[in-house]
Amino acid sequence: MMPAAPAARVLVVEDEQNIRDLVLLHLRLEGLEGIAAADGTEGLRLARSERFDLVVLDLMLPGLDGMTVCRAIRRESSNGDVPILMLTARREESDKVLGLESGADDYLAKPFGVRELVARVRALLRRRRTASPVAATSPSVTVAGVTVDPARRMARIDGRDIDLTAHEFDLLYLLASNRGIVFSREALVQRVWGNDTHITVRSVDTLVKRLRKKLEDEAAEPRLILTVWGTGYKFADV
Ligand code: CA
């Protein structure tokens, strides 16, 4: 008989006890191991000292807020590429979470249903198992003033570090290391997400939009990640 795989470990950082308990209960029912932190400082301490497969992180926390904790986790090498599901109080906050400022992979607006929570958790853990196409030992690439560094899974522009989510990093690395080469959106889905069947070509457009916001001076007039009309995307051949 095969030994049972160890349960995925999920760090839950949430100051409201009833929500924390609800999340922990449903993780347990899913066969996952939940580890709780009631504030950002404790959450970050745990993220710095232990390895997790997923972090569920409340945005509004006493002390260190969720955005600060999220950025700090991204910079920590031990959990730098962990999927992060951010809990937000309002829909409007979600744009900020998935936009420029944080490295969250997904968000859930409160109040949320238990089924939605479980679905998001499962989706993020599934993505996690689809190993990144970029190994930490891949060479770093510098093109048009942008350095893409697989060891740190970060980009650097004009001496400024840019935090990237796992998929943003994989897409940028693929394009930048093949500058001038056009990739179809279908090919990008395959290369970045592998066999995750929930992903459509629209996800590529969304991901490109987010990358441009982070990298380009003018997201509306990109000079790095270029659209090839009717075909897909390419990194500028400079
Ligand atoms: Ca809160």
Side-chain angles (χ1 to χ4, degrees):
M1 210 176 96
M2 292 274 289
R9 305 185 79 232
V10 182
L11 175 61
V12 180
V13 189
E14 168 62 77
D15 59 311
E16 287 168 71
Q17 193 185 349
N18 54 345
I19 297 181
R20 197 168 64 232
D21 289 348
L22 180 81
V23 173
L24 288 171
L25 169 68
H26 287 277
L27 291 175
R28 196 162 61 236
L29 291 174
E30 288 293 306
L32 307 170
E33 184 187 356
I35 292 96
D39 60 56
T41 310
E42 173 65 2
L44 187 55
R45 188 192 68 73
L46 284 164
R48 280 180 168 143
S49 55
E50 298 176 28
R51 191 84 174 99
F52 293 98
D53 299 293
L54 176 70
V55 177
V56 178
L57 179 59
D58 186 29
L59 181 61
M60 303 297 284
L61 291 164
L64 286 180
D65 65 277
M67 205 75 89
T68 306
V69 173
C70 186
R71 280 197 294 260
I73 289 175
R74 283 282 175 252
R75 294 204 182 90
E76 301 292 323
S77 58
S78 63
N79 281 297
D81 58 351
V82 72
I84 297 177
L85 175 63
M86 195 81 97
L87 305 180
T88 70
R90 294 186 304 274
R91 288 276 168 193
E92 307 91 80
E93 289 179 332
S94 62
D95 289 342
K96 204 167 79 178
V97 163
L98 292 181
L100 283 175
E101 287 300 313
S102 101
D105 294 277
D106 203 354
Y107 73 89
L108 201 52
K110 293 178 188 172
F112 52 81
V114 162
R115 277 194 203 163
E116 197 175 6
L117 167 76
V118 168
R120 301 295 180 92
V121 163
R122 284 279 167 217
L124 287 168
L125 288 172
R126 198 164 49 231
R127 277 193 221 168
R128 171 80 165 173
R129 277 197 302 275
T130 320
S132 166
V134 185
T137 50
S138 301
S140 82
V141 172
T142 299
V143 53
V146 182
T147 298
V148 195
D149 179 1
R152 295 166 65 231
R153 292 189 72 81
M154 284 181 96
R156 203 170 169 78
I157 299 185
D158 306 327
R160 184 168 54 97
D161 280 334
I162 314 280
D163 290 327
L164 299 171
T165 65
H167 288 136
E168 287 167 2
F169 179 87
D170 291 339
L171 177 66
L172 178 62
Y173 188 82
L174 178 65
L175 293 175
S177 55
N178 294 283
R179 63 178 189 247
I181 294 178
V182 182
F183 288 86
S184 71
R185 292 143 92 222
E186 290 80 6
L188 292 172
V189 168
Q190 187 58 39
R191 297 283 286 270
V192 173
W193 282 273
N195 295 319
D196 188 336
T197 50
H198 291 73
I199 300 302
T200 68
V201 290
R202 290 292 301 273
S203 308
V204 175
D205 301 333
T206 306
L207 193 59
V208 166
K209 203 176 286 176
R210 273 161 51 187
L211 258 182
R212 282 175 173 159
K213 270 195 197 164
K214 292 186 177 184
L215 299 177
E216 306 273 2
D217 297 329
E218 292 277 350
E221 286 179 50
R223 60 177 192 90
L224 300 172
I225 301 171
L226 307 180
T227 302
V228 182
W229 295 110
T231 311
Y233 296 99
K234 69 173 182 179
F235 201 93
D237 193 7
V238 282

